[in-house]
Amino acid sequence: MSIIIYNRLSDGRCIIKSPATIQGEQELKECDDCSEYWILEDDIVPHDRTFRNAWEYDSENKKIVINLEKAKQVHKEYINFAVLLHLKEKKIPDSNNEVLKNLLSAESYDNIYDIIKHRDDLDLSNINSEEDLKKSWPAELTLFQYT
């Protein structure tokens, strides 16, 4: 099946419209957020959609690639989501450290609290691939993990 791919100008994100239609093509010609687009076969779309929000279309090599810097931001967003899921499951407000301390073992508390405290300034500078990002997932966050 044919699809339409374009990189959105506002954020560079790869957008996929499926199936490719004349109407979809016409909409893109009138779109201010798209300078060019490509009609391709759908086998170009990666099966692993973990970092889909970091996809970009590389027109020179005719493939979808992962922008690693964007993938790192997606990873941080997933961690924030997982922390909130974990706290919701335990029925703990994000800011109530005493309740958290009483419900979790000392080691688990320290690890989770450290993730909560530092989740926004997580250092991912040593990460060089999407696989490295997946491996860096905090083991304590069991309610949401990469598959």
Side-chain angles (χ1 to χ4, degrees), residues 5-81:
I5 292 182
Y6 70 96
N7 290 330
R8 201 163 46 197
L9 293 174
S10 57
D11 59 8
R13 184 172 166 207
C14 178
I15 305 299
I16 300 170
K17 290 185 168 260
S18 176
T21 63
I22 293 172
Q23 179 184 356
E25 195 174 352
Q26 186 60 40
E27 288 171 6
L28 286 175
K29 287 178 182 176
E30 298 169 5
C31 178
D32 293 335
D33 205 15
C34 165
S35 62
E36 59 183 327
Y37 63 90
W38 302 269
I39 298 177
L40 304 162
E41 290 305 307
D42 63 358
D43 61 355
I44 193 171
V45 179
H47 293 290
D48 183 351
R49 296 166 108 56
T50 305
F51 297 107
R52 186 181 193 285
N53 288 348
W55 286 357
E56 293 178 351
Y57 180 66
D58 178 354
S59 60
E60 190 173 305
N61 295 308
K62 295 185 173 32
K63 66 179 187 174
I64 294 175
V65 296
I66 302 230
N67 176 315
L68 191 56
E69 292 309 308
K70 287 182 184 176
K72 289 177 183 181
Q73 286 306 117
V74 170
H75 182 71
K76 287 181 180 183
E77 291 168 11
Y78 286 162
I79 288 176
N80 280 335
F81 177 72

Side-chain angles (χ1 to χ4, degrees), residues 100-114 140:
L100 183 62
K101 204 175 232 178
N102 291 334
L103 285 173
L104 303 172
S105 69
E107 181 182 343
S108 181
Y109 167 78
D110 289 342
N111 291 339
I112 294 286
Y113 184 69
D114 194 50
E140 296 79 15

